[in-house]
């Protein structure tokens, strides 16, 4: 099987396990799974020194990480949330609790941000202290599989290229314990690893590993470049 097929096999197994255990609903298949215990995972993350120190947080827009995003705003942190599918030239929502009049749980939702929060590009962003990413499966070495679209990897790569994500930036995922596997996971050159896994039960530190230095343009499919405006805007300078 190809690497993509190997990844798909793991995703299908995890989605099935979550659905069978009634941790997630059947419509989670194909998505970053919302899971019972996501509130508790957010609470545990908030006990870490890295969370307490963070002033800027970048997060994915999925429901599973809504409790983390809401807590960030409630604690006065600036939140950057990815626009779904990186579909605009300014690919992040800026949610500043000092300027928001909405309750944190509402301001942090993807649907609210789409009409209530300004979009920004990397050139107008502050350096990122902590990244929270959605995950389908992850192992204790920090290798993670998303839902298969590759958006999180592209977002992080763009922020690395612009110096907004550095070795000092902690990358975290919040997942259900059923999503943590004790086995090697397939990994591509453009995949980033997480530094910390937080479940509804515990906090799992991972050994730090080198990160991609940015977008790997030579392996970026043409249709992906065409579909993501910020990639298209940078392609001429990187594909010549």
């Amino acid at each position: 099987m190809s690497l993509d097929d190997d990844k798909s096999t793991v995703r299908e197994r995890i989605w099935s396990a979550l659905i069978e255990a009634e941790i997630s609903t059947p419509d989670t298949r194909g998505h970053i799974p919302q899971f019972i215990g996501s509130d508790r995972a957010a609470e545990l993350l908030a006990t870490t020194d890295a969370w307490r120190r963070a002033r800027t947080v970048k997060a994915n827009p999925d429901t599973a990480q809504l409790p983390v995003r809401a807590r960030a705003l409630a604690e006065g942190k600036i939140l950057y949330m990815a626009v779904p599918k990186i579909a605009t030239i300014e690919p992040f929502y800026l949610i500043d609790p000092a300027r928001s009049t909405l309750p944190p749980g509402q301001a942090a939702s993807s649907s609210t941000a789409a009409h209530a929060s300004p979009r920004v590009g990397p050139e107008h962003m502050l350096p990122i202290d902590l990244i929270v990413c959605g995950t389908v499966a992850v192992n204790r070495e920090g290798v993670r599989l998303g839902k298969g679209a590759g958006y999180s990897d592209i977002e992080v790569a763009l922020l690395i290229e612009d110096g907004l994500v550095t070795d000092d930036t902690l990358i975290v995922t919040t997942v259900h314990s059923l999503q943590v596997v004790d086995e090697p996971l397939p990994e591509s050159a453009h995949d980033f690893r997480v530094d910390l896994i937080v479940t509804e039960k515990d906090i799992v530190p991972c050994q730090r590993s080198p990160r991609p230095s940015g977008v790997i343009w030579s392996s970026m499919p043409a249709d992906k470049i065409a579909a993501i405006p910020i990639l298209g805007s940078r392609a001429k300078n990187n594909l010549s």
Side-chain angles (χ1 to χ4, degrees):
M1 289 195 299
S2 69
L3 189 65
D4 287 342
D5 289 337
D6 289 341
K7 289 182 175 183
S8 294
T9 298
V10 176
R11 291 187 190 101
E12 290 295 334
R13 191 181 81 225
I14 296 299
W15 283 322
S16 294
L18 291 170
I19 294 167
E20 290 169 8
E22 298 184 344
I23 300 301
S24 296
T25 55
D27 60 1
T28 198
R29 198 179 299 276
H31 301 279
I32 298 297
Q34 165 64 318
F35 60 94
I36 295 173
S38 59
D39 288 344
R40 176 58 181 158
E43 291 173 4
L44 284 178
L45 174 58
T47 68
T48 64
D49 290 339
W51 176 268
R52 295 190 186 102
R53 290 193 301 265
R55 294 293 174 264
T56 54
V57 176
K58 181 266 178 191
N60 56 303
D62 301 276
T63 304
Q65 281 68 48
L66 176 57
V68 177
R69 299 194 303 270
R71 182 174 286 270
L73 296 178
E75 295 185 13
K77 304 179 192 296
I78 290 177
L79 176 65
Y80 295 109
M81 181 167 61
V83 173
K85 299 183 180 181
I86 330 178
T88 61
I89 190 66
E90 296 170 318
F92 301 97
Y93 296 117
L94 165 60
I95 311 175
D96 184 346
R99 299 182 180 182
S100 176
T101 60
L102 300 172
Q106 182 179 353
S109 74
S110 180
S111 58
T112 298
H115 63 79
S117 298
R119 294 192 302 267
V120 294
E123 67 275 13
H124 297 299
M125 294 171 64
L126 297 171
I128 308 299
D129 296 322
L130 188 142
I131 291 174
V132 181
C133 61
T135 295
V136 175
V138 63
N139 67 19
R140 295 176 188 275
E141 286 69 50
V143 181
R144 65 173 284 278
L145 301 181
K147 62 187 175 184
Y151 296 124
S152 287
D153 294 305
I154 293 170
E155 293 157 14
V156 170
L158 289 167
L159 295 174
I160 288 173
E161 283 191 345
D162 286 14
L164 298 171
V165 169
T166 69
D167 288 343
D168 293 328
T169 305
L170 193 78
I171 303 181
V172 180
T173 190
T174 56
V175 294
H176 192 272
S177 50
L178 283 178
Q179 295 173 256
V180 183
V181 300
D182 293 310
E183 65 188 69
L185 289 175
E187 187 175 20
S188 303
H190 60 257
D191 295 334
F192 64 83
R193 294 189 180 190
V194 301
D195 305 310
L196 198 67
I197 303 166
V198 185
T199 77
E200 83 289 0
K201 294 179 179 179
D202 55 11
I203 299 171
V204 182
C206 307
Q207 184 175 351
R208 295 295 292 265
S209 60
R211 296 170 180 170
S213 59
V215 177
I216 302 177
W217 290 95
S218 60
S219 63
M220 186 64 61
D223 59 343
K224 187 77 75 175
I225 293 173
I228 298 177
I230 192 170
L231 289 183
S233 71
R234 298 186 181 195
K236 289 184 180 179
N237 293 330
N238 290 280
L239 292 174
S240 56

